[in-house]
Amino acid sequence: MAPPVNIIVGSHVWVEDPKEAWVGGEVSRINGEEVHVQTKNGKTVVTHISKVFPEDTEAPPGGVDDMTKLSYLHEPGVLHNLAARYELNEIYTYTGNILIAVNPFQRLPHMYDTHMMEQYKGAGFGELSPHVFAIADVAYRAMINEGKSNSILVSGESGAGKTETTKMLMRYLAYLGGRSGVEGRTVEQQVLESNPVLEAFGNAKTVRNNNSSRFGKFVEIQFDKSGRISGAAIRTYLLERSRVCQVSDPERNYHCFYLLCAAPPEDREKFKLGNPKEYHYLNQSSCYVLDGIDDSEEYAATRRAMDVVGISDEEQDAIFMVVAAILHLGNVEFAKGEEIDSSVIKDEKSRFHLSTTAELLKCDPKSLEDALIKRVMVTPEEVITRTLDPASALASRDALAKTVYSRLFDWLVEKINFSIGQDPNSKSLIGVLDIYGFESFKFNSFEQFCINFTNEKLQQHFNQHVFKMEQEEYTKEEINWSYIEFVDNQDVLDLIEKKPGGVISLLDEACMFPKSTHETFAQKLYQTFKNHKRFIKPKLSRTSFTISHYAGEVTYLADQFIDKNKDYVIAEHQDLLTASKCPFVAGLFPPLPEESSKSSKFSSIGSRFKLQLQSLMETLSSTEPHYIRCVKPNNVLKPAIFENFNIIQQLRCGGVLEAIRISCAGYPTRRTFYEFLNRFGVLAPDVLEGNCDDKVACQMILDKMGLAGYQIGKTKVFLRAGQMAELDAKRAEVLGNAARTIQRQIRTHMARKEFIAVRKAAIQLQSYVRGISSREIFEKLRQEAAAVKIQKYLWRYIARKSYLRVRLSAVTLQTGLRAMTARNEFRFRKQTKAAILLQAHLRCHIAYSYYRSLQKAAIVTQCGWRRRVARRELRNLKMAARETGALKEAKDKLEKRVEELTYRVQLEKRLRTDLEEEKAQEASKFQEALHAMQIQLEEANARAIREREAAQKAIEDAPPLIKETPVLIQDTEKIDSLSAEVESLKTMLLSERQAAEEARKACIDAEARNAELTRQLEDAGRKVDQLQESVQRLEEKLSSTESENQVLRQQALTMSPKALSSRPKTVIIQRTPENGNIVNGESKVTSDLSLSISSAREPESEEKPQKYLNEKQQENQELLIKCITQDLGFFGGRPIAACVIYKCLLHWRSFEVERTGIFDRVIQTVASAIEVQDNNDILAYWLSNTSTLLFLLQHTLKASGAASLTPQRRRTSSASLFGRMSQGLRASPQSAGLSFLNGRGGLGRLDDLRQVEAKYPALLFKQQLTAFLEKIYGMIRDNLKKEISPVLGLCIKAPRTSRASLLKGRAQANAVAQQALIAHWQSIVKSLDNYLKIMKANYVPPFLVRKVFTQIFSFINVQLFNSLLLRRECCSFSNGEFLKAGLAELEQWCYGASEEYAGSAWDELKHIRQAIGFLVIHQKPKKTLNEITKELCPVLSIQQLYRISTMYWDDKYGTHSVSSDVISSMRIMMTEDSNNAVSSSFLLDDDSSIPFSVDDISKTMEQVDITDIEPPPLIREHSGFGFLLPRLE
């Protein structure tokens, strides 16, 4: 066999490796059919040429997201692609429309949040990165569009992440369906809440997984006609019933048995349970405890889950009572009886367990014993009762246990479905199948046989689906596919399930014969299937058999097949439990119909298994399937570990390699015309220079290469297996020749460059030597010039020094004389000034004394007069002001009390300050005394030392014999005197220290007293605060009472024209600060206040004018509402409607009344005007009006009542009752000259507007106006978002260049493509210009315009950036260039719009700008992480940078992304962030909030002048609106 054309020396290939499964290498030699490969790990491998597969050297370093895009679709290519993507945390990969999910074994919350769901909602399949949401979205869209139910099959071995994937699917479907369940819980939450219950009763520990599901689960999410979730149901299939009675080591039985044995003591005592090792159904295995799992906590969690599901406490006790009964039942053993083939209870221990079982099941112990060891046979003549032998009795016991457990599990599923709530009227559903995967252990029994039988069925369904997809692809491309072979596994299914003669049929037949054993069953299999190609008989075993499944050969041990297969409900068991006194147990075994109870039909687990599997397949066949294959990357369950052998085995078991085999049977390599020409256009450049289209060009290239068997579809080229490698080999040859030509030219260039460099070096050397000579001559000349300069400066220095000395002497003499003269002059002026000052002070004192005496006399006179007036008014108003007077009296008392307390506080503060000063003075005195004593001591010590040294010196200098004794005596006396002095000084120091200690103690005592005084002061302060609060409350109450009285008086004055005309005049007097009132020019009423009393006595005269005024006001309001419903336009850039509304409301005093309907009418008018949400002109018009009106209200209205007054204002206003009354009259419209009623009062600028105390309706109107302003703003912003959103989707992806760009016309083609892209950006700019023009035309405040465009640019930033991170084809170099050109259009628009309207909108694009900057920057591998994060992309997070770096690909120059070291550093930082609970989402969130407040509008808008606003024609001539006319100066 000659080697294939595509494998030559130098080819890059994959070869098998015992450690890594497959390893890459390069072919070094070919000998016939032997290939020598130099691998990447340095080894040389010799292998057969058929075991070598070509490697794609041009594959992206990060892999491809769809493995059908691989140039070589084979096992090593698939494995390498998955490994490359897994290293980058890309855990999802497509194979066509099949999703492969590799378990990351770490939390990736950013991949499953709401932002990610929003991105995949409605996106086309394959448009975004592979994701489980994409599969769910395809299923949902197919269900909605086609009206057909869909199913999603999630498969994989234990620990591969099937359950988590199922949760994500349900989360996304709940997000799309969007219906909340009972009590606020979604359907998805209710289904997930049932998981702990099903796991407790349906999961067990197996060899590979501690929590393996031993049943299949099919979750049906039901939808109504509108696509909303209407219900859900859980269907369970294929429960492994035999595990209840038989457990292999080191596996465990179902979790619930161990949980119950770890229950609290009171529960265990109730069920009479002990250690799990005591029970036969549990001690068959040595495994009782799971690592890291506390069964007692799991028991409590299961109880809580049952509560959530809706299982009552009584039902829970009954459930666990049945579980405990099964454990006790397993400990019942039998011995031979006295008769032949009879059995009895073995011993007292078995008798105890039997009675406990009967007690728990609430049935008769004797009946239970008879049901286990006796059988009743009914014949036409008589009823025969026979006993069973011990072996049959054990089988009867196990059959009862399996039946009870199976019925219990079915009851739980039914209860859960009832809790979730099903929709019987649902027409469509999406089912999610979570079922156990293919299993192949060292020892495989009946359970593995059933599981693998299930997976064979599902694999056939999978193969049919894949082949169907292949057919659809070929049909879509209109190519011939009739000769493609379909890979089928029907022969294996016939071997297992065929009737008669299948393995299951033979097993049922063996179970019906009492004398059958596993040896006879195995021999029967050997005889029946000796010639079957899928059945293999092992050589060294008599009871084993091997079946060749799709995933490989599996050897089964037939030792326990017969025992595990037996499953039929014995009539005695049925009757026993139906008669149970426990309603729960009796409900598990309802009475059978009379016909079925009489017929004892044989039943087995294998048959039931086959029927359930058939039902499941029928359900799946009625739906449109979608497949998710979950893969476990390693067995240690840790992240970042990729075990190749483990992955290959799972891909085989999951059928992925089988799907690849189906694809390889047809056309495994498919390339679009563009991709094919881009890769293989170099093979025929002359073809590309022609004017033929892409399809004809591809045909010509393939014909030129001499290939046969390929197909050309409508958009793709389909190549047979091996043809891609052949084309690559020829392409490599062409590129090699081109590379040699380039090398020749480069070498020529390098040689000439070296010659030019040598010549340049010689010239530089000559120049250097000449330079040295010139520098020596220059240095000599420089030294001569320096000597001359030094002499000159020295002579100048000597002369200047002499001059300065003479000048200094003269200046000194002048200074002395001038100073003496100045001092004499200063002394004379000082004396003169002092005399003048004394005279001034004396004259001032005389004048001020005279003025004070006159002032005192005037005040006394005024006080007397005011006292008489106040007494007279007090008598007139005594009845009306009784409550006010009482409150005032209480307030005065409280004020006196506050003043007394304030004085006491100040006195205590003064005492405290004096005490602290005295203490500080004493402490300083003590410190000074101590310091002085220390100085004296040091001086004494120093003096003693000096004298001692002098004495010693004198002794040394004295003659040795003469006057020796007297000197010694004299020195001794000096020393003694000095010592005595030192002792006295020490005594003084000690006494001073004692005094200091006493002072310190006194200081501590003083501090303690000070602290006590401080505490008392704080208590007094708190009391003062409480009293002040009480006074404040009383003042507020008093003020509110005064406000009510004032309003009543104003209404009385307003409604009584006669009283108005007869109101007495007021006298204006000047007031000084000393007379009790600060404000000058206040009007004081000099006559009696009989006005309000007389107006109150004339109700008849008021009714008619009041009615007339109300009708007139109603008419004016109707006219105003009719007017503002029209488009009034603008006057000098100010909205007329807002100004008219404001002036009318202010004139009508609507802000100050307690009840009015004008505000609601205005709000309703605005609401009806903006009902048409798409009319941006109307929205902008009302945005301008509402913002202006709100601005005017913000500067006019203030809260009414005492709460709006400052403390100083309250205190002043309450000082004088007469002052308050006169102030109320001054605030009335009449006292203001009726400026608003007669039309002569005008409104000035906003600074001149008076503030109005607003009542509740006015404040509510302001709040409603604010809400409408925010609503209109949001509508304009959202309309602009809707308008640009479709165009943004076209802007993110640059249009592909035509094949002309593959040759010399690249620049021209790029220009054409750029024009196409810029057209989309110009469409966005056009929309922005249109909205800006509309808002300018309607004079919308620039502040709001800036906010709109800032949020729009933020929206553009979020959409572009998120799309860039989710679509790998967008993270390319050329796409970055196109996006950069598009953003330049937006930047130009910002400059054109000016900063007044664009504001900081351009800064909102910082994320997409920095991401594009990263895409288009050159030499990325040379960039360090610090440069990227600090300089290039400081705004982007590590997660975002990691995503861009791993998805980047250069489609223009073929350069690489950042270095692997930078990628590793990013991954480490991401891991640290996840440990620190930092959000790891790489997507941005669109902010749709309102980015401003009322205060922002008030601060940013310009002043509004409403004086010269022309009223609309509708109300201009109306007499009631004369106040709107501009005032003539």
Side-chain angles (χ1 to χ4, degrees), residues 976-1083:
D976 292 340
S977 63
L978 289 173
S979 299
E981 188 175 354
V982 168
E983 290 297 331
S984 63
L985 289 174
K986 285 183 179 180
T987 304
M988 291 174 64
L989 177 61
L990 184 60
S991 62
E992 290 295 336
R993 284 181 177 174
Q994 290 177 354
E997 182 67 22
E998 293 176 355
R1000 188 178 63 82
K1001 290 180 180 179
C1003 181
I1004 292 173
D1005 294 340
E1007 288 179 353
R1009 290 194 303 273
N1010 192 14
E1012 180 65 23
L1013 290 174
T1014 303
R1015 185 181 60 79
Q1016 294 177 1
L1017 182 63
E1018 291 174 353
D1019 294 341
R1022 283 196 295 270
K1023 292 179 180 178
V1024 169
D1025 292 339
Q1026 293 174 359
L1027 289 172
Q1028 287 178 346
E1029 290 176 1
S1030 302
V1031 171
Q1032 184 176 355
R1033 286 197 297 269
L1034 290 172
E1035 287 177 348
E1036 291 173 357
K1037 186 173 180 181
L1038 180 62
S1039 178
S1040 62
T1041 305
E1042 292 171 358
S1043 301
E1044 292 173 1
N1045 294 336
Q1046 176 183 338
V1047 171
L1048 290 173
R1049 285 195 295 274
Q1050 289 176 357
Q1051 291 178 352
L1053 292 172
T1054 305
M1055 297 173 189
S1056 179
K1058 295 180 179 179
L1060 178 64
S1061 60
S1062 62
R1063 186 176 64 86
K1065 297 181 179 180
T1066 57
V1067 179
I1068 306 299
I1069 66 171
Q1070 296 292 329
R1071 297 196 180 176
T1072 62
E1074 289 77 9
N1075 63 2
N1077 226 326
I1078 298 175
V1079 182
N1080 292 328
E1082 289 184 343
S1083 61

Side-chain angles (χ1 to χ4, degrees), residues 916-980:
E916 288 178 351
E917 291 178 355
E918 292 177 1
K919 180 178 67 175
Q921 291 176 0
E922 291 179 1
S924 61
K925 289 180 181 179
F926 287 137
Q927 291 290 338
E928 291 174 359
L930 181 61
H931 183 62
M933 293 301 298
Q934 289 177 348
I935 292 174
Q936 292 180 6
L937 179 60
E938 290 173 357
E939 290 177 354
N941 290 335
R943 189 164 60 252
I945 292 170
R946 286 196 303 271
E947 291 181 358
R948 187 177 297 156
E949 289 175 354
Q952 189 69 25
K953 186 176 180 181
I955 294 171
E956 292 175 356
D957 294 341
L961 297 175
I962 303 172
K963 295 183 180 178
E964 183 174 355
T965 302
V967 171
L968 288 174
I969 294 170
Q970 187 176 0
D971 291 341
T972 303
E973 291 175 354
K974 286 183 179 181
I975 290 172
D976 292 340
S977 63
L978 289 173
S979 299

